C-alpha cells in the first residue's frame, strides 16, 4: 500500500504540476486530457457497481421529459396515431369544419403537454403539431416555419446554457419528428424530399407511411423500396437505431428488425374492437379487421418500440450530443472564433472588446436619439410660445375694447342721471363687444 506522503505527491511529480499551473488554461486542459488511463483490478469489493441503481432512483424521482413533433398533411391520422402511441386521448376528436373558400396562408405550430405516469415512472410529454403543412396553394416554403421553430428551441436552450445561474434549464428541444408520407404507392413527392432535406440536420427524422391499410402488402413493400431509394439518392439522414460493441445478441437482433421496417407502415386507431371475446385496438372494415398491435398487419409495434420502449433516451442523447452540438458550433462560428489558439486572443478579452464596441454603439445611438428628442422639444416649445403670444395679444385687445365700452356706458349713465339728451355717435353705432 502506498504511504500517505506518496498519496499527497502529484501522480506525475511536482515539476509537471507546477508547469501545468504556469501554462494557459487551454494548454493545461490538453495535458489533463492526454493523461494515459491504466486499467487496474480491484483487490476487494468497492461498491460502485451500484451506480446504475443510484441513477435509477434519481431518474424516478426527477422524472423524464420528451418532445415529439408530428408533420404531415391534414387527414393522414397524426392525432390518432399520437393517441394510439401513448394510450391516452392527448388530442380530442376533431369536429368537421364547414366548407369555406378561405385557404390557410401559413403553417401553424401548436404544442400540447401532458404529464403521464406508468408504474411509478413519470413522463412529461410535449407534442407539437403543424396544421396547415402541405395544405397551402404554394407549398414551397412550408418547411420554413417548422425549421425556424426547431432552431428557436435550440437558441432558447443555448441562451439558458450561457446564463450565470444554470440550475433551472428547461429543455424544449425537439427530440424526434414523425413525418407522415401520404400512401400514394409511387414515390416521395418534391414536398417530402425538400422537407426532409431541410430538417435532417436539425431533428431525428422518423418517416412513416400513413394509413397503410389502403395499400396491399406488395404495394407497401414496393413503396418502401422507392422511398428508401429516394432518401439514399438525396443523401437524407433519417434516424437509425445505433449499435454498440457491448450489445447483447437479443438487442442487436431487435435493432435489425426495427431498421428493416423503416419507413414504418402504420395504422392508428383509438377505438377498441372485440374479436373472439378479446378487445383490441383496430379498424373494422367489411372485409375484416386491421389490428393496430398485430405485427402482421402493420409496423405500429416496431414504431412504438423504437420511440418509447427502447430508444427514447437514444433519441434525446443524439439530439443533445450531435444535432444540438452541430448547431451550437455553427452558431458560435458565426459570432467568431473564440478558441483560436494562434490568434493569441483569449475568449474573455475578445468578449470585453465586443462588449466595449457594443457599448460605444449604444452610446452613439443614445446621443443621436437625445439630439432628435431635443430638436423636437425645441420645435414644440417654439410653437407653444407663438400660440401663447397670440393669445396674450388677443387678450389685451379684448381688454382694451371692454375698457372703452365701460367708459362709454358710464358717460351715458351720467347723462341720463343729469337729464341731458344722449347723442349716439353714428360711427360707433352697431359696435359692441362681439360685433
Amino acid at each position: 500500500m502506498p504511504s500517505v506522503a506518496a498519496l499527497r505527491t502529484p501522480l506525475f511529480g511536482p515539476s509537471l504540476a507546477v508547469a501545468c499551473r504556469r501554462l494557459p488554461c487551454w494548454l493545461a486542459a490538453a495535458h489533463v486530457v492526454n493523461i494515459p488511463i491504466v486499467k487496474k483490478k480491484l483487490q476487494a469489493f468497492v461498491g460502485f457497481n451500484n451506480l446504475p441503481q443510484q441513477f435509477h432512483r434519481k431518474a424516478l424521482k426527477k422524472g423524464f421529459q420528451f418532445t415529439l413533433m408530428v408533420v404531415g398533411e391534414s387527414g393522414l391520422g397524426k392525432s390518432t396515431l399520437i393517441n394510439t402511441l401513448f394510450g391516452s386521448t392527448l388530442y380530442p376528436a376533431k369536429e368537421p369544419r364547414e366548407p369555406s373558400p378561405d385557404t390557410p396562408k401559413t403553417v401553424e405550430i401548436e404544442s400540447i403537454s401532458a404529464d403521464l405516469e406508468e408504474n411509478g415512472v413519470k413522463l412529461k410529454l410535449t407534442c407539437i403539431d403543424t396544421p396547415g403543412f402541405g395544405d397551402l396553394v404554394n407549398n414551397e416554403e412550408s418547411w420554413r416555419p417548422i425549421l425556424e421553430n426547431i432552431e428557436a428551441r435550440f437558441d432558447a436552450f443555448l441562451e439558458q446554457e450561457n446564463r450565470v445561474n444554470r440550475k433551472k434549464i428547461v429543455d424544449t428541444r425537439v427530440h424526434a419528428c414523425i413525418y407522415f408520407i401520404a400512401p400514394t404507392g409511387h414515390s416521395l413527392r418534391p414536398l417530402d424530399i425538400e422537407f426532409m432535406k431541410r430538417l435532417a440536420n436539425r431533428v431525428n427524422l422518423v418517416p412513416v407511411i400513413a394509413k397503410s391499410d389502403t395499400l396491399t402488402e406488395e404495394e407497401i413493400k414496393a413503396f418502401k423500396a422507392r422511398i428508401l431509394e429516394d432518401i439514399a439518392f438525396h443523401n437524407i439522414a433519417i434516424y437509425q437505431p445505433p449499435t454498440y460493441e457491448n450489445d447483447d445478441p437479443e438487442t442487436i437482433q431487435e435493432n435489425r428488425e426495427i431498421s428493416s421496417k423503416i419507413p414504418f407502415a402504420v395504422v392508428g386507431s383509438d377505438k377498441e374492437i372485440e374479436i373472439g371475446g378479446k378487445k383490441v385496438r383496430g379498424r373494422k372494415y367489411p372485409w375484416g379487421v386491421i389490428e393496430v398491435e398485430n405485427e402482421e398487419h402493420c409496423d405500429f409495434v416496431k414504431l412504438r418500440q423504437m420511440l418509447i420502449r427502447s430508444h427514447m433516451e437514444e433519441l434525446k442523447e443524439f439530439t443533445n450530443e450531435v444535432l444540438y452540438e452541430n448547431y451550437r458550433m455553427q452558431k458560435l462560428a458565426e459570432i467568431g472564433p473564440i478558441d483560436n489558439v494562434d490568434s493569441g486572443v483569449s475568449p474573455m478579452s475578445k468578449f470585453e472588446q465586443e462588449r466595449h464596441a457594443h457599448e460605444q454603439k449604444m452610446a452613439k445611438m443614445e446621443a443621436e436619439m437625445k439630439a432628435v428628442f431635443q430638436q423636437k422639444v425645441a420645435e414644440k416649445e417654439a410653437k407653444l410660445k407663438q400660440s401663447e403670444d397670440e393669445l396674450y395679444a388677443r387678450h389685451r385687445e379684448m381688454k382694451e375694447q371692454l375698457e372703452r365700452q365701460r367708459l362709454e356706458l358710464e358717460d351715458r349713465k351720467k347723462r341720463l342721471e343729469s337729464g341731458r339728451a344722449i347723442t349716439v355717435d353714428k360711427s360707433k353705432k352697431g359696435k359692441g363687444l362681439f360685433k
Side-chain angles (χ1 to χ4, degrees):
M1 292 291 292
S3 63
V4 176
L7 290 174
R8 290 176 180 172
T9 305
L11 183 61
F12 295 96
S15 59
L16 181 59
V18 174
C20 286
R21 286 197 296 269
R22 293 177 181 176
L23 289 172
C25 59
W26 59 268
L27 193 54
H31 279 281
V32 174
V33 171
N34 293 328
I35 294 176
I37 299 175
V38 181
K39 293 185 178 180
K40 296 289 185 178
K41 290 186 178 180
L42 299 177
Q43 301 296 330
F45 176 74
V46 178
F48 58 79
N49 63 335
N50 291 320
L51 285 174
Q53 286 77 9
Q54 297 178 29
F55 180 79
H56 177 71
R57 290 195 300 269
K58 182 180 178 182
L60 284 180
K61 182 180 179 181
K62 185 179 180 182
F64 299 88
Q65 184 266 339
F66 189 69
T67 303
L68 178 66
M69 175 179 281
V70 288
V71 181
E73 298 178 13
S74 301
L76 292 181
K78 300 187 294 295
S79 303
T80 304
L81 182 66
I82 294 299
N83 292 341
T84 311
L85 273 173
F86 294 96
S88 177
T89 309
L90 299 175
Y91 287 95
K94 296 181 179 179
E95 298 181 357
R97 297 180 179 180
E98 297 182 358
S100 173
D102 299 332
T103 57
K105 299 295 186 296
T106 57
V107 177
E108 300 177 3
I109 307 294
E110 297 179 355
S111 299
I112 183 172
S113 297
D115 293 327
L116 307 178
E117 185 173 352
E118 183 181 31
N119 296 330
V121 180
K122 298 178 181 179
L123 174 67
K124 183 177 181 181
L125 175 68
T126 302
C127 292
I128 305 172
D129 196 4
T130 56
F133 177 83
D135 301 335
L136 310 179
V137 177
N138 184 3
N139 292 303
E140 290 183 0
E141 300 291 324
S142 293
W143 53 268
R144 188 175 297 279
I146 301 172
L147 178 62
E148 290 176 352
N149 182 267
I150 294 175
E151 292 184 345
R153 293 170 182 270
F154 279 167
D155 291 334
F157 191 83
L158 179 61
E159 190 270 335
Q160 292 181 88
E161 281 190 330
N162 294 331
R163 291 178 183 172
V164 176
N165 186 359
R166 302 188 300 175
K167 292 182 179 180
K168 297 182 180 180
I169 295 182
V170 181
D171 186 7
T172 60
R173 296 171 295 181
V174 180
H175 301 124
C177 175
I178 303 179
Y179 184 69
F180 287 72
I181 302 172
T184 60
H186 302 295
S187 60
L188 292 178
R189 299 170 302 170
L191 175 63
D192 303 327
I193 296 172
E194 185 67 18
F195 174 84
M196 290 196 285
K197 285 175 63 177
R198 296 285 184 174
L199 271 73
N201 296 327
R202 292 290 182 264
V203 70
N204 294 309
L205 276 177
V206 182
V208 301
I209 302 174
K211 296 187 174 182
S212 62
D213 51 342
T214 60
L215 303 173
T216 64
E217 292 185 6
E218 292 78 11
E219 290 173 340
I220 291 175
K221 187 176 180 180
F223 193 27
K224 283 187 175 184
R226 295 192 194 100
I227 292 174
L228 293 176
E229 288 177 2
D230 289 340
I231 289 175
F233 179 80
H234 293 281
N235 296 321
I236 299 172
I238 60 175
Y239 181 77
Q240 296 283 352
T243 56
Y244 303 99
E245 295 180 358
N246 57 349
D247 284 345
D248 55 86
E250 183 180 351
T251 303
I252 295 174
Q253 180 62 26
E254 183 179 291
N255 289 338
R256 288 177 180 173
E257 291 178 359
I258 292 175
S259 298
S260 65
K261 297 295 184 179
I262 298 175
F264 301 96
V266 297
V267 177
S269 176
D270 49 8
K271 297 181 180 179
E272 293 184 343
I273 300 174
E274 187 172 349
I275 301 178
K278 182 181 178 181
K279 290 185 177 181
V280 296
R281 289 181 179 271
R283 306 182 74 89
K284 190 173 183 180
Y285 296 97
W287 44 264
V289 175
I290 290 287
E291 298 180 29
V292 172
E293 299 185 1
N294 190 335
E295 295 190 34
E296 295 181 357
H297 292 181
C298 67
D299 302 331
F300 172 80
V301 174
K302 294 299 181 185
L303 174 64
R304 182 179 61 187
Q305 183 176 349
M306 186 189 76
L307 286 177
I308 304 174
R309 297 186 177 180
S310 61
H311 291 83
M312 179 178 284
E313 285 300 314
E314 299 287 349
L315 288 164
K316 295 173 65 176
E317 183 178 343
F318 189 81
T319 300
N320 182 57
E321 297 182 359
V322 179
L323 299 175
Y324 171 70
E325 282 300 317
N326 292 338
Y327 179 80
R328 178 177 172 274
M329 290 171 59
Q330 178 183 349
K331 203 73 174 178
L332 295 178
E334 294 176 357
I335 300 175
I338 62 174
D339 55 352
N340 190 357
V341 178
D342 298 333
S343 63
V345 180
S346 65
M348 288 303 298
S349 61
K350 184 175 179 61
F351 174 76
E352 287 296 329
Q353 292 175 3
E354 292 178 354
R355 185 178 65 83
H356 183 65
H358 180 70
E359 288 179 352
Q360 288 182 340
K361 182 180 178 181
M362 295 300 294
K364 182 180 178 181
M365 292 176 61
E366 184 179 359
E368 292 176 353
M369 293 176 65
K370 189 177 291 185
V372 173
F373 176 74
Q374 291 176 352
Q375 180 183 357
K376 289 191 174 294
V377 168
E379 293 176 356
K380 191 69 175 179
E381 287 180 348
K383 190 174 181 180
L384 290 173
K385 181 66 176 174
Q386 181 182 358
S387 300
E388 186 179 8
D389 293 341
E390 292 177 355
L391 287 173
Y392 276 131
R394 187 177 178 187
H395 175 70
R396 286 194 300 270
E397 181 183 354
M398 294 177 65
K399 189 175 180 180
E400 292 174 357
Q401 188 175 0
L402 284 172
E403 184 65 20
R404 288 195 301 269
Q405 290 183 0
R406 187 183 66 80
L407 294 175
E408 291 178 1
L409 289 173
E410 288 182 357
D411 182 56
R412 294 173 67 181
K413 180 179 178 183
K414 291 178 181 180
R415 291 183 181 182
L416 286 172
E417 289 176 353
S418 62
R420 291 181 295 173
I422 300 174
T423 58
V424 181
D425 190 353
K426 293 183 180 180
S427 61
K428 296 181 180 180
K429 186 179 180 180
K431 291 187 178 180
L433 179 61
F434 301 102
K435 295 182 180 180

